[in-house]
Amino acid sequence: MEQVKVLIVDDEPLIRNALGTILATDAQIVTLDSVENGLKAVEFCQNHEVDVILMDLQMPIMDGVTATREIKSIKNSPAILAITAFSSDDYLVPVLAAGASGYLVKDTDPAEIISAVHAVHRGTAAISASVSSELVSAIQVAYRDTTQEVEDLISDLGLTAREVEILNLLAKGLNNPEISKLLKISETTVKTHMAKIFSKLEVRDRVQALVAATRMGLIEIPRDS
């Protein structure tokens, strides 16, 4: 059974202990260590093999966004799952842009935290539903690039009509099985399209694809009602 090696990064001992307790309920997850700031996280990753990091964002010495950027510059860097008490776009977009594959708030259900760890380890993404409106506001308002007509941009990127269709379904929150059922194509075909989308947008996963596509004005993420 493959083990997922996790590093916990948070300046609050209580939170580090709580996350460690949650992760210990999954036999596949091994918590390697817990550290109290971003600098120690960077140093740990330079000397140890880590699969996933649970990264707090507000910490002394080095914050989580800076640490994420530093760690993602390391060869074969681990997946990073931001986990914070704040759902503000002041933190959300910067940490995603720095290379995080997911963003959870600390009141997330323990089972969802475990699922998110496995998701980012597989190369997919995880994001709390409670921060979806902040994701919309932050990317569409602050990061959207409107310098080029969308149709021209789609052509320049080499995106097919089907790939744009899948991007829009992804923006609506559909997963691979749901997209497969709706479009009446196999899940394997969906995964193939998704891989081509990631390559053309030069991203690693679904969250980064949403960030890039929304920033460029290719899609719009529906706002929560």
Side-chain angles (χ1 to χ4, degrees), residues 147-164:
T147 58
Q148 186 176 18
E149 291 295 327
V150 172
E151 290 301 322
D152 290 342
L153 182 55
I154 289 172
S155 176
D156 289 344
L157 291 169
L159 290 167
T160 66
R162 178 65 89 187
E163 289 163 358
V164 173

Side-chain angles (χ1 to χ4, degrees), residues 21-142:
T21 299
I22 289 170
L23 298 182
T25 63
D26 188 295
Q28 284 186 270
I29 296 175
V30 175
T31 300
L32 297 176
D33 203 350
S34 62
V35 297
E36 65 269 24
N37 62 63
L39 180 59
K40 287 191 174 182
V42 174
E43 292 172 346
F44 189 91
C45 291
Q46 289 171 337
N47 296 291
H48 300 83
E49 184 179 331
V50 182
D51 295 319
V52 177
I53 298 176
L54 290 181
M55 179 75 76
D56 187 25
L57 298 184
Q58 276 200 319
M59 295 179 290
I61 302 178
M62 182 183 287
D63 63 80
V65 174
T66 303
T68 295
R69 189 177 300 111
E70 291 287 329
I71 290 168
K72 294 309 293 185
S73 69
I74 298 171
K75 186 177 181 181
N76 298 320
S77 62
I80 295 179
L81 182 58
I83 183 162
T84 177
F86 305 96
S87 60
S88 167
D89 56 281
D90 291 340
Y91 301 98
L92 174 60
V93 171
V95 77
L96 293 178
S101 296
Y103 190 105
L104 301 179
V105 290
K106 286 179 179 174
D107 61 358
T108 298
D109 183 80
E112 186 179 343
I113 293 174
I114 289 173
S115 295
V117 168
H118 285 294
V120 298
H121 178 53
R122 291 192 302 267
T124 57
I127 190 163
S128 289
S130 60
V131 302
S132 59
S133 60
E134 283 82 1
L135 178 64
V136 173
S137 298
I139 298 173
Q140 290 186 331
V141 175

Side-chain angles (χ1 to χ4, degrees), residues 170-181:
L170 183 62
K172 293 177 181 178
L174 275 66
N175 58 29
N176 284 1
E178 291 168 335
I179 293 173
S180 169
K181 183 177 180 181

